[in-house]
Amino acid sequence: MKYVAIADELRDRITRGELPPGARVPSTRRLAADHGVAMATAAKALALLGQEGVVQAEPRSGTVVAGRERRGGPRGLTREQLVRTAIAIADTEGLGALSMRGVAARLGVAAMAPYKYVRGKDELVMLMADSAFGERGYPATPRGDWRDRLTLGGRTLWSLYKRHPWLAQLAPLTRPLALRNLGMHGEWALSALSELDVDAATLCDLHVLFFSYVQGIAIHLEREQSALASSGLSEEQWIDLQTPALEAMSAGRPVFAKMLRDLGGDGYDLVLDDLFESGMRALLDGLALRFGR
C-alpha cells in the first residue's frame, strides 16, 4: 500500500530527528508530487500518522510533528505506534538490535511502558511480522493463469522481504508462523497451485517449496546488511580481497578455474533481484513440465 510506505518514510525522518517536534511536515500536495501518487493517497498517509499521534494539525501552521509528550508519553502511546517504531529499528539496524528497552528509548517513554501493550519481545516481533506481511495484498479479482498468479505472489513476498529484511529470519521452514496476514499470501499461492489438480499433500508440499524458495533467497538480504556493517566492505571490495584464496581453490579444478577466468574477463555482479527472478522462472518451468501445465 503506497500510503503506508509514505507514512513509514515520514516516520523514519521524524524518528531520526530530521523533522523535530513542532516542525512542519510536507503537505499533502507536496507528498503527492514527490511520490507520484494521488492527493487522496498522500492524505491517507498523514491521517495514519495522525492516528498514531506522530503528527498533529495546528491552526495556521498546517500539519506538524507532535511534541514528545504527545508522541511518546504514556497517554499517547499505542500498540500500533509501538509496533511501527520496532519495525523502523529492525529495518535499519536488524532484528538483533531490537530490544524492549531500545523501543522505549526511541519513543521517549519509561523502559516498562511497552509492557502495557505486549508481554515481551517475542510477542512484539510477531506483531511486527503480521503488520509487515499485511502491507501488500492482492487484487480482489485474480487475473491470469496459475503461473501468472504465482509469479505475482512471489514478487509480492519478495518486495516485502526487501523492505523488511529481518522478516526472512523469523522461523524455520518446519515451524511456519501462524499470522493472519501471512495466511493471506498463503491463500493466494495455494489458490494458484490448486489449478495443478493435485492431492492435498502434494499441494502442501508445492506451497512449502514455493514459499521456501522466496524466503531462502531473502535470507541473504539481512545477512548482506550485517556483513557490510561488521566489515565496512562492500560486496565488490570483499570479493577483491578473496581473489588469492579463490585462485588457490581453483587449482586442480578446471571447470571452476575456467569460470573464474571467464568472469574475470566479462565481469559479474551477483544481483539478488535478478537471481530471484531467474530462480522463480526455473521453479515454475519445472512445475509446468511435471504437471503438464
Side-chain angles (χ1 to χ4, degrees):
M1 299 179 187
K2 290 185 177 180
Y3 79 91
V4 175
I6 296 172
D8 285 346
E9 180 183 314
L10 283 173
R11 191 185 298 103
D12 288 345
R13 292 176 63 188
I14 292 169
T15 301
R16 293 194 304 265
E18 184 179 334
L19 292 172
R24 290 188 61 180
V25 300
S27 66
T28 300
R29 187 178 301 278
R30 176 65 180 275
L31 290 173
D34 288 348
H35 293 273
V37 298
M39 294 277 285
T41 301
K44 286 180 69 175
L46 291 179
L48 176 60
L49 294 178
Q51 291 169 4
E52 296 175 6
V54 178
V55 301
Q56 64 189 62
E58 291 287 351
R60 297 182 299 278
S61 297
T63 302
V64 301
V65 178
R68 179 169 293 275
E69 67 281 355
R70 177 169 177 178
R71 289 191 290 120
R75 292 183 180 179
L77 184 61
T78 65
R79 175 180 280 195
E80 173 67 17
Q81 187 179 0
L82 186 69
V83 169
R84 283 292 165 190
T85 300
I87 288 175
I89 293 172
D91 285 350
T92 57
E93 302 176 38
L95 200 61
L98 182 69
S99 68
M100 296 292 283
R101 185 176 295 276
V103 175
R106 182 74 64 93
L107 288 165
V109 299
M112 298 303 293
Y115 290 96
K116 296 179 181 179
Y117 303 91
V118 295
R119 289 187 294 271
K121 180 179 175 180
D122 289 346
E123 182 182 2
L124 177 59
V125 170
M126 291 301 100
L127 291 171
M128 292 162 56
D130 196 39
S131 176
F133 279 120
E135 289 176 1
R136 300 229 167 101
Y138 300 96
T141 304
R143 296 181 180 180
D145 61 11
W146 68 272
R147 181 169 183 142
D148 294 328
R149 301 205 303 278
L150 209 56
T151 298
L152 176 59
R155 287 173 176 168
T156 300
L157 282 170
W158 178 247
S159 71
L160 291 174
Y161 284 131
K162 286 186 64 180
R163 189 174 183 185
H164 307 294
W166 50 272
L167 267 181
Q169 316 290 329
L170 293 184
L173 187 64
T174 53
R175 302 188 181 192
L177 300 173
L179 301 175
R180 182 175 181 275
N181 285 323
L182 181 56
M184 168 186 63
H185 298 282
E187 180 65 17
W188 180 267
L190 286 168
S191 177
L193 288 166
S194 66
E195 289 193 9
L196 299 177
D197 195 23
V198 296
D199 59 52
T202 304
L203 180 62
C204 185
D205 285 346
L206 293 179
H207 177 241
V208 172
L209 176 65
F210 167 74
F211 182 82
S212 63
Y213 167 70
V214 182
Q215 183 189 35
I217 299 293
I219 280 175
H220 300 286
L221 293 167
E222 187 173 62
R223 289 180 179 176
E224 174 57 26
Q225 281 186 346
S226 298
L228 176 61
S230 61
S231 69
L233 299 174
S234 68
E235 180 186 346
E236 293 80 8
Q237 292 170 327
W238 184 85
I239 285 291
D240 287 342
L241 291 177
Q242 307 309 308
T243 299
L246 291 173
E247 290 176 348
M249 283 176 59
S250 68
R253 299 179 174 91
V255 178
F256 186 35
K258 183 178 184 304
M259 182 188 72
L260 289 179
R261 288 195 302 271
D262 291 345
L263 291 179
D266 299 336
Y268 175 74
D269 291 320
L270 179 59
V271 181
L272 288 181
D273 281 320
D274 296 341
L275 186 65
F276 166 76
E277 288 288 340
S278 176
M280 188 165 65
R281 284 195 300 271
L283 175 61
L284 299 186
D285 285 345
L287 293 179
L289 183 62
R290 177 180 174 186
F291 296 101
R293 296 302 178 102

